[in-house]
Amino acid sequence: MSQEWPLWEIFIRGQHGMSHRHVGSLHAPDAEMAIRNARDVYTRRKEGVSIWAVRSTDIAASSPSEKGPLFDPADSKVYRHPTFYDIPDDVGHM
Amino acid sequence: MYAQMVKSEGKRPGEALSPEEQAFQDRIDAGERIEPRDWMPEGYRKTLIRQIGQHAHSEIVGQLPEGNWITRAPTLERKAILLAKVQDEAGHGLYLYSAAETLGESRDEMTQKLLDGRMKYSSIFNYPTLTWADIGAIGWLVDGAAIMNQVPLQRTSYGPYARAMVRICKEESFHQRQGYHIMMKMARGTDAQREMAQDALNRFWYPSLMMFGPSDKESVHSAQNMAWKIKINTNDELRQKFVDQTVPQAEFLGLTVPDETLCWNEEKGGYDFAEPDWNEFFEVLKGNGPCNAERIGARQKAWDDGAWFRDGLSAYADKQQARRMAAE
Ligand SMILES: [Fe+2]
Ligand SMILES: [Fe+2]
């Protein structure tokens, strides 16, 4: 039985000025075909102006079990947000 | 539905949940989405592969009855529209295969299971498309029934499945409207066209009601799948909704729903209607519908005839890769 085409993750830039967003994945033999297939699968209604294709196996991801240690420390740092600071109305817009 | 009678791999009723399973169920109850790398019970994973795979196969096999009319569409515009619709269905199949693949089964494995009968597709695609009006009836009724089921599934617990549903739902409305548009044209046409439209409704009405599957109020499989939020409504709820929505649309067309018992029930605020012939449904599922052999035959042929092409592109990619390595 033949080998299965590898899996690619597809990222599309919706409009100029926006970042690329992950939209899904597809199978293709190589990068060029991945981009061609992505055009047919993910942009049939002008959903994009640019496509990135990345081999799924090349993506490194954080593990769900590390969610606590990675993201919880930000909980206690409310001073990173502008709303933490009380500035009197008299100062005007800031 | 596109996934019918999905057998659940959950625990038997009354069996206690492990602490991990309980924590998982709590996340679902809290409305959290489950993502591919999260812990999940083996039964949830297996049931979802079965359900999403069946849904994907239905999108792909569903191209065949409509594809039958692409070369014979009555105008160039209708042909372009039908081509776009059928291409969307290919896309739906691909979105769903990739959602299922995140659960650890490859697309080729699923395809193999479809071809050798270990996986199913929706019963509805085993009926033939005999006239152009059937293309109208399919868009109107079959896509209409699919929408009933797919809209709530946008809230399903498995992230990749829910996201595929959002994408699909955005595209389905065009499918239903183009079908209804065909029906409108025919219903307002010559006597022969009106008869053709009525005949299509006669043939597709009960198979469309069957799409939702038999009543599952008592089914333990459905209860487990609903607890996991991979099934949102009972089959009867969706079928009732479909009938209530569709009957006035048929009236608008001046066509008659082929059910003499059909009548409005003021008390329940919905129509009373006749059940389809469930024996026929089970026969179709078993492979004895009018087109089962033809449909799988067409998929098998496409798979076999495409082998040289898939292999050729793989060989080319390998060669290019080797060249790049040598140049580095
Ligand atoms: Fe579809
Ligand atoms: Fe559709």
Side-chain angles (χ1 to χ4, degrees), chain B residues 2 59 85 89 92 143 172 175:
Chain B
Y2 277 18
E59 302 282 355
K85 198 262 186 195
E89 305 300 3
H92 296 178
D143 288 80
E172 285 293 359
H175 297 177

Side-chain angles (χ1 to χ4, degrees), chain B residues 7-226:
Chain B
K7 225 173 95 212
S8 185
E9 298 279 347
K11 296 210 153 168
R12 299 293 117 229
E15 229 180 309
L17 297 184
S18 72
E20 260 175 330
E21 287 167 336
Q22 188 57 56
F24 177 81
Q25 188 60 50
D26 291 345
R27 286 188 63 193
I28 289 181
D29 294 343
E32 266 183 56
R33 287 286 157 79
I34 309 302
E35 293 297 337
R37 288 161 55 96
D38 295 349
W39 184 88
M40 61 186 81
E42 204 35 34
Y44 177 84
R45 196 182 66 79
K46 274 200 187 146
T47 309
L48 263 181
I49 291 177
R50 187 175 293 153
Q51 176 172 335
I52 305 174
Q54 201 184 116
H55 197 154
H57 294 327
S58 298
E59 302 282 355
I60 297 298
V61 176
Q63 295 178 98
L64 297 169
E66 290 181 296
N68 181 36
W69 279 89
I70 290 174
T71 55
R72 290 176 284 154
T75 66
L76 188 57
E77 186 183 63
R78 288 289 183 203
K79 180 173 175 161
I81 292 170
L82 184 56
L83 205 51
K85 198 262 186 195
V86 171
Q87 193 188 9
D88 272 358
E89 305 300 3
H92 296 178
L94 294 182
Y95 307 154
L96 287 161
Y97 282 130
S98 47
E101 285 190 282
T102 62
L103 295 157
E105 186 153 311
S106 79
R107 187 174 80 190
D108 285 7
E109 278 174 273
M110 285 183 271
T111 302
Q112 217 48 60
K113 284 186 177 174
L114 169 72
L115 295 180
D116 63 29
R118 278 176 294 159
M119 277 178 104
K120 291 204 233 346
Y121 57 92
S122 177
S123 56
I124 189 73
F125 302 119
N126 292 308
Y127 291 87
T129 42
L130 304 177
T131 72
W132 172 249
D134 289 8
I135 300 306
I138 287 181
W140 171 35
L141 302 172
V142 176
D143 288 80
I147 291 170
M148 285 280 138
N149 170 282
Q150 291 176 155
V151 165
L153 277 177
Q154 293 177 100
R155 292 177 283 117
T156 187
S157 61
Y158 190 56
Y161 192 25
R163 291 191 286 275
M165 280 302 135
V166 169
R167 194 173 286 280
I168 286 174
C169 285
K170 268 192 206 146
E171 299 177 349
E172 285 293 359
S173 168
F174 140 58
H175 297 177
Q176 194 185 18
R177 292 171 71 119
Q178 66 85 34
Y180 195 72
H181 197 256
I182 292 174
M183 293 305 273
M184 273 177 7
K185 262 266 147 63
M186 308 232 13
R188 290 173 186 170
T190 63
D191 286 348
Q193 284 174 312
R194 217 173 2 261
E195 267 166 42
M196 216 182 250
Q198 180 64 52
D199 173 60
L201 173 58
N202 292 350
R203 283 180 291 107
F204 276 93
W205 175 255
Y206 287 107
S208 299
L209 296 188
M210 289 178 203
M211 285 176 70
F212 299 94
S215 180
D216 60 353
K217 278 181 295 220
E218 323 270 273
S219 159
V220 284
H221 295 295
S222 291
Q224 172 65 79
N225 291 347
M226 285 174 99

Side-chain angles (χ1 to χ4, degrees), chain B residues 253-318:
Chain B
L253 293 172
L255 299 180
T256 312
V257 172
D259 176 358
E260 280 164 16
T261 68
L262 186 81
C263 71
W264 179 255
N265 180 330
E266 191 63 51
E267 213 171 300
K268 79 172 177 187
Y271 287 93
D272 288 334
F273 57 92
E275 291 272 316
D277 176 357
W278 292 113
N279 285 330
E280 177 183 320
F281 171 77
F282 287 114
E283 281 305 309
V284 172
L285 278 199
K286 264 192 264 165
N288 304 325
C291 300
N292 294 60
E294 190 185 327
R295 300 294 183 238
I296 288 297
R299 292 309 306 146
Q300 183 73 55
K301 183 174 182 324
W303 177 256
D304 294 342
D305 291 355
W308 69 271
F309 176 77
R310 295 190 299 275
D311 290 346
L313 288 190
S314 291
Y316 176 75
D318 290 347

